[in-house]
Amino acid sequence: MRPLLTSLDDIVRAVLAAHEKPRVAIAPCAEGFVLRAGLSAAQMGLAEPVFLGDHQRSLELAKARDLDLAPYEFIDCPDDVLAVNTAVELFRQGRVQLIMKGLTSTATVLKAVLAKDAGLVPEGGILSHVSVFDAPGREPAEAGLMLLTDAGMNIRPTLQRKIDILKNALCVMRALGLQEPRAAILAATEKVNYPAMPATLDADLMAKMGAQGEFGQAQVAGPLALDLAVSPAAAALKGIHHPAAGHADILLVPDIESGNILYKALSSLMGLTMASVVVGSRVPVVVPSRGDSEHSKFASIALAAYLAHQHQCQTGKDV
């Protein structure tokens, strides 16, 4: 049984305690914030960067920022697509254990990961974006980590996609040591209102699947408004007595728009550090954005490194 990790700092400590540092392919790397993130991870002992990109431009950027790339492997790839494809090939060869997106579109990276000849995504599996963060206001006796999904990848998921997104999220939480995660399938109301609000019906069906054991050891509630998912007082006031109501570990949003808004509210308005990784393939993929704080980029690498050490949660198959 894995130890229960209750904070992002716990994840960092677990990675630092591992015997070997994972190697992270950063592609393409010719951007200041990406170079800094990779070097910071190396200096902290989280991961060893392998830089892929335009060598000359990267050296110029590093020099302007007083960064030293000399100690680390650098593969010259002037073309972004070549850099990303090379990163995938390095993983397949066992030379790196995770991939971090540099200055290119997320679609370019995911296309390389999803390519059939790469063999990284199991048949029928999907990729999804998960963000792990320290839960604000949790009671000391409760697990202190929460997970938001999917705020960065699946635009308008169908019911089947939501089921797969939940399976990926459950894998991540179990890897973090939470054996029976509590998942809230979010909507604007706790009552089914179909066809006006299709998300409420999807949530209701997923909650019924959870009650029938379709997701293994997990408590799945829905539909739930956000306050009913995270506030015991609000859940009690509405008379909702499900184990996940008011105590959710996983927040599954109806679509990318609501997920993105919630993500930005947590990171921008509340100033929370968000560790974000794309899961569902054999390789964890870090997809930082310019708007993420340096701490969030660092925490994302730590989460990906931890999942790489676990050798699971990349397929959703342990549900």
Side-chain angles (χ1 to χ4, degrees):
M1 183 177 293
R2 295 178 180 84
L4 177 62
L5 306 183
T6 60
S7 68
L8 293 181
D9 287 342
D10 277 356
I11 297 175
V12 172
R13 283 190 286 267
V15 175
L16 294 178
H19 295 301
E20 294 184 8
K21 289 188 296 186
R23 304 181 85 219
V24 51
I26 303 177
C29 65
E31 175 57 41
F33 83 92
V34 176
L35 294 173
R36 279 195 301 270
L39 292 175
S40 294
Q43 290 161 5
M44 287 292 294
L46 279 182
E48 178 186 342
V50 176
F51 296 106
L52 300 94
D54 187 311
H55 194 202
Q56 186 58 41
R57 174 166 169 72
S58 298
L59 289 177
E60 292 171 358
L61 288 168
K63 183 178 179 180
R65 290 160 177 77
D66 198 25
L67 303 174
D68 184 12
L69 306 182
Y72 306 104
E73 182 176 0
F74 200 112
I75 300 175
D76 189 20
C77 299
D79 178 76
D80 289 357
V81 173
L82 175 61
V84 171
N85 287 335
T86 303
V88 169
E89 185 57 31
L90 290 178
F91 173 80
R92 294 180 65 197
Q93 295 171 3
R95 293 172 58 188
V96 301
Q97 287 70 52
L98 51 142
I99 294 173
M100 179 175 174
K101 178 183 82 76
L103 187 62
T104 190
S105 69
T106 299
T108 298
V109 178
L110 298 182
K111 182 178 180 181
V113 173
L114 285 165
K116 285 189 177 180
D117 57 358
L120 299 186
V121 181
E123 186 175 353
I126 70 159
L127 301 181
S128 59
H129 184 271
V130 300
S131 298
V132 177
F133 57 98
D134 292 324
R138 273 281 171 93
E139 294 294 327
E142 291 194 278
L145 285 172
M146 292 183 70
L147 184 152
L148 168 65
T149 191
D150 178 330
M153 224 191 127
N154 290 280
I155 296 174
R156 193 170 291 107
T158 62
L159 172 61
Q160 183 56 55
R161 279 200 168 253
K162 289 178 184 178
I163 290 169
D164 291 332
I165 289 168
L166 178 57
K167 288 180 178 180
N168 283 349
L170 289 168
C171 284
V172 173
M173 293 306 286
R174 288 172 182 145
L176 297 175
L178 194 58
Q179 297 306 308
E180 190 172 347
R182 297 161 296 190
I185 316 303
L186 298 182
T189 176
E190 73 278 9
K191 297 180 180 179
V192 174
N193 183 1
Y194 186 83
M197 304 171 76
T200 60
L201 179 59
D202 288 350
D204 183 65
L205 292 172
M206 291 176 69
K208 288 181 169 127
M209 290 176 64
Q212 294 168 0
E214 292 292 330
F215 301 111
Q217 285 189 298
Q219 298 288 341
V220 181
L224 288 179
L226 179 62
D227 58 337
L228 303 181
V230 300
S231 169
L237 187 64
K238 283 289 188 81
I240 299 176
H241 302 294
H242 191 281
H247 304 279
D249 306 300
I250 295 170
L251 303 175
L252 190 149
V253 298
D255 52 42
I256 198 171
E257 291 174 328
S258 55
N260 184 270
I261 291 168
L262 180 52
Y263 179 100
K264 297 292 174 60
L266 293 169
S267 60
S268 299
L269 292 179
M270 297 190 66
L272 296 184
T273 296
M274 309 291 284
S276 301
V277 179
V278 171
V279 295
S281 74
R282 289 169 49 208
V283 56
V285 182
V286 183
V287 285
S289 71
R290 287 177 177 270
D292 287 336
S293 69
E294 290 296 321
H295 197 194
S296 285
K297 296 183 184 79
F298 177 79
S300 297
I301 294 174
L303 176 61
Y306 182 80
L307 295 179
H309 277 309
Q310 298 305 306
H311 300 294
Q312 69 162 58
C313 306
Q314 289 96 48
T315 64
K317 295 302 181 183
D318 71 333
V319 173

